[in-house]
Amino acid sequence: MSARTGVSPRSLRYYEQQGLITADRRDNGYRDYTDDAVVTVLTIRSLYDLGFPSELIRVVLPCTTGEAVDQAVCRSVVDRVTGIRDDIAERVTHLARTRDTLTYFLSEQAAPGDAADRQGTGPARQAFLRQRFVPGAATATDD
């Protein structure tokens, strides 16, 4: 299973301890997983990567596998995942603005022009500082 999913054997044992996956045991102690377990393990890994704790994954997992579950729970999961997605989108937007501000700042430093900008006290520097330290502040690159 580890080779098929890229998830370490230790993590697989942890998932099993948490009741997230099950495996049959062979006589030699090796675990046998169903073919569906591959998708389940990859889903679990993705949910952990998103920051979901084990307890929440236990609630979310049936909604991802199509098992018969409480639809109200699945709707609340969709709402939570939508919120996570929206938070990520906000962070991406912020990172893109920061990148653009840095690019603008660096281009102003490299280009001949305002001596204040070359010294780091002109509009490019002010825009950079405003973007970096004042949440929601407009930058010179916001149009």
Side-chain angles (χ1 to χ4, degrees):
M1 177 62 69
S2 181
R4 292 169 61 190
T5 62
V7 174
S8 71
R10 182 177 181 199
S11 291
L12 293 171
R13 287 189 300 275
Y14 177 75
Y15 298 169
E16 197 172 340
Q17 288 172 341
Q18 295 299 307
L20 302 173
I21 61 173
T22 58
D24 293 326
R25 292 290 187 131
R26 295 183 191 171
D27 291 338
N28 63 5
Y30 287 1
R31 291 170 171 84
D32 273 332
Y33 296 96
T34 65
D35 289 336
D36 292 341
V38 172
V39 173
T40 301
V41 167
L42 293 173
T43 300
I44 293 166
R45 180 76 262 146
S46 295
L47 294 171
Y48 273 123
D49 289 346
L50 288 171
F52 283 48
S54 296
E55 192 56 41
L56 184 55
I57 291 173
R58 192 176 348 281
V59 172
V60 169
L61 203 53
C63 297
T64 68
T65 61
E67 296 175 16
V69 296
D70 182 349
Q71 291 305 306
V73 170
C74 291
R75 280 191 297 276
S76 71
V77 166
V78 167
D79 291 343
R80 173 106 188 248
V81 172
T82 300
I84 290 169
R85 184 212 47 210
D86 294 347
D87 289 344
I88 290 169
E90 286 181 32
R91 285 185 277 175
V92 167
T93 299
H94 176 73
L95 288 170
R97 284 187 180 144
T98 300
R99 179 203 59 220
D100 293 347
T101 301
L102 291 171
T103 299
Y104 176 76
F105 176 73
L106 292 171
S107 70
E108 288 295 310
Q109 296 303 305
D114 186 0
D117 271 342
R118 286 194 302 280
Q119 294 170 358
T121 59
R125 176 70 175 162
Q126 291 171 3
F128 169 74
L129 293 173
R130 200 171 42 249
Q131 158 48 8
R132 183 71 176 107
F133 298 108
V134 181
T139 66
T141 60
D142 288 344
D143 289 315

